[in-house]
Amino acid sequence: MTPLYATSAAELTEAYAAGRLSPVEVTEAVLARIEAWEPHANAFYRVHHDGARAAAKAAEARWRDGRPLSPLDGVPITLKENVVSKGDPAPIGVAIGDTTPKTEDSPIAARVREAGCVLLGKTTMPDYGMLSSGRSSIHGTTRNPWRLDRNTAGSSSGAGAAAVAGYGPLHVGTDIGGSVRLPAHHCGLFGLKPSLGRIPIHPPFMGRCAGPMTRTVRDSAMLMSAITRPDARDYMSLPYDPVDYAAGLEGLSAKGLRIGLIRKMGTGLEPETGVLAAADAAARALADAGAEVVETPSFLTPAMLDGICRFFEARSYNDVMALSAEQRAKILPFVVEWCTWRAGGFSGAEVMDAYMQVVAMREAAVKAVAAFDFVLSPTAPIVSYPAEAHSPNEDPHDALAHIAYTVAYNFSEQPAASVNWCFTDDGLPVGVQLIGQRFDDLGVMRLARLVEQLRPAQNAWPEPPQ
């Protein structure tokens, strides 16, 4: 039998309705799993022991009375630290962050409470969310449960580790350059960066999205139906589309699909053999299933990638330089070096040039995907890197060289997902990225479900060290 902590949201819904399982016993099993893994993984910033038990008890009563709030009533969930929830501080991964408890829920926290989900607590993130790493000046190092000496990537580092470790089925991260998809790749998960505005967030910002991170595509689809509900606080949100993502997930045929394959981006880190092999294998599987797969060149130029890097640096430079010297000394030195080494010398013209490169990147990405039903690529250029590293190349002067495969789709507003394809000989996961047309979030999830069915047999999820 599947352990309770590893039972999917879809299975829990069915078991709750039939009276075979109780949200109380499931929550207790997940809390025990957290206790077993946390000394090693360090995925949580705050665990809501009492709050989770109370929420589970209330959900149990609703299911018993036949009045569940939603199909997800009583299903455990975690939220990334920066997905603000009432009563929890949100220091944004940094030791100088504000630790005052927040007074209201953000849109996502409000939606999952309305759905009856059992909020287990808040997962970790690196300083300001500006690292693709599990390193944080306030949280320490979050580690990859597949191998504790390996990085989770980030910035949704805790969400990735929590999903691998079995802290319940549902997890929410955020993504402005790859921060959902990169941990999904390194942790062997499904992670969706939706179309900009599909999931209301607060505060909204250009390129910033929240997205589900789960072991299965179906669980993410169930969560999407809850967290895409409207919220007026997100002034960049899309018109609400009351689609049932889970009901529409199955049945996509590869036959007739035209899929572009981008193997190399031509800038950033050179892709490793392992990630190219995974993308090639996924492409062959889709072709064998009837799709037309066409290798297509990269649309991303070095100037575009440097433009978004300069944009991020300038934004963070303003934040960091507003701090006192004493405050800056408490931030990870890597982060301070990254955002100050050249941004202080940017002229207004140079900042505008960086922004125009971002605009050019957006246009190029939309045009590249428009030629196909979907595009397939590696998610990241590398398979893994050390847990203590701040970035794959550990170079603060080139800290974002690994986001070339992911970042463009944040700013082109297109849905993009990472789904695990295979494992290396030493047991590390390797994902592939699927990109769709703007607003076709369900289409990307349907393709991910198809890939999930075509991929090789998957490894058993890791167990905590004894």
Side-chain angles (χ1 to χ4, degrees), residues 126-127 129-133 154-155 176-179 182 267-269 300 302 304-316 334-335 338-339 341-342 381 385 390-408 411:
D127 290 35
M130 291 311 302
L131 289 176
S132 294
S133 170
S155 62
I176 199 172
S179 291
L182 293 171
T267 185
L269 295 183
L300 191 69
M304 291 174 186
L305 182 59
D306 185 57
I308 188 60
C309 289
R310 285 184 286 143
F311 177 83
F312 283 144
E313 289 167 24
R315 190 187 69 159
S316 295
F334 185 97
V335 172
W338 161 73
C339 70
W341 74 278
R342 63 173 176 172
Y385 54 107
H390 302 84
S391 71
N393 60 3
E394 199 66 350
D395 181 359
H397 295 183
D398 191 23
L400 302 181
H402 57 291
I403 68 172
Y405 283 106
T406 53
V407 68
F411 294 87

Side-chain angles (χ1 to χ4, degrees), residues 25-336:
E25 61 182 322
V26 171
T27 297
E28 289 296 341
V30 175
L31 290 173
R33 184 70 168 180
I34 292 169
E35 184 176 348
W37 256 118
E38 266 307 272
H40 313 286
N42 188 34
F44 258 123
Y45 168 47
R46 290 167 67 84
V47 183
H48 293 166
H49 297 92
D50 294 341
R53 289 185 172 105
K57 188 174 181 179
E60 179 185 58
R62 290 190 293 269
W63 279 107
R64 185 175 58 240
D65 294 342
R67 299 181 296 103
L69 295 176
S70 80
L72 295 179
D73 203 350
V75 176
I77 191 169
T78 75
L79 300 179
K80 186 176 176 180
E81 181 211 308
N82 64 340
V83 179
V84 168
S85 50
K86 185 177 180 180
D88 292 315
I92 318 300
V94 67
I96 61 166
D98 182 8
T99 56
T100 305
K102 300 300 183 180
T103 58
E104 67 176 6
D105 282 331
S106 64
I108 293 169
R111 299 297 88 76
V112 300
R113 290 196 210 270
E114 291 164 3
C117 294
V118 174
L119 180 54
L120 298 166
K122 309 302 292 291
T123 53
T124 59
M125 62 183 290
D127 290 35
Y128 297 120
M130 291 311 302
L131 289 176
S132 294
S133 170
R135 296 276 289 148
S136 163
S137 60
I138 190 171
H139 304 310
T141 300
T142 297
R143 297 177 178 275
N144 193 328
W146 288 106
R147 243 180 66 184
L148 294 173
D149 67 336
R150 298 287 90 187
N151 214 296
T152 55
S155 62
S156 302
S157 48
V164 176
Y167 296 4
L170 303 178
H171 310 273
V172 177
T174 63
D175 189 318
I176 199 172
S179 291
V180 162
R181 289 158 290 160
L182 293 171
H185 161 77
H186 288 284
C187 295
L189 305 168
F190 174 75
L192 173 69
K193 183 215 73 69
S195 300
L196 184 74
R198 178 68 69 203
I199 298 172
I201 60 172
H202 187 259
F205 189 81
M206 181 175 65
R208 179 186 290 153
C209 297
M213 299 173 66
T214 59
R215 290 183 172 187
T216 69
V217 180
R218 174 160 292 279
D219 280 358
S220 281
M222 292 182 69
L223 183 55
M224 283 287 285
S225 291
I227 61 179
T228 55
R229 293 182 180 277
D231 194 296
R233 288 173 288 177
D234 185 349
Y235 53 80
M236 298 173 72
S237 62
L238 297 174
Y240 175 54
D241 183 5
V243 64
D244 187 333
Y245 288 87
L249 192 62
E250 302 289 344
L252 179 67
S253 173
K255 294 179 180 179
L257 292 181
R258 191 164 188 267
I259 298 175
L261 171 64
I262 300 178
R263 298 180 76 251
K264 297 184 177 184
M265 295 308 291
T267 185
L269 295 183
E270 185 70 15
E272 295 176 347
T273 301
V275 299
L276 291 176
D280 289 342
R284 285 194 301 271
L286 287 164
D288 290 345
E292 179 190 5
V293 180
V294 180
E295 186 171 349
T296 187
S298 170
F299 59 84
L300 191 69
T301 67
M304 291 174 186
L305 182 59
D306 185 57
I308 188 60
C309 289
R310 285 184 286 143
F311 177 83
F312 283 144
E313 289 167 24
R315 190 187 69 159
S316 295
Y317 174 85
N318 284 350
D319 294 336
V320 168
M321 294 311 293
L323 303 172
S324 68
E326 182 181 7
Q327 289 173 315
R328 285 197 298 273
K330 295 180 181 179
I331 302 171
L332 287 175
F334 185 97
V335 172
V336 176

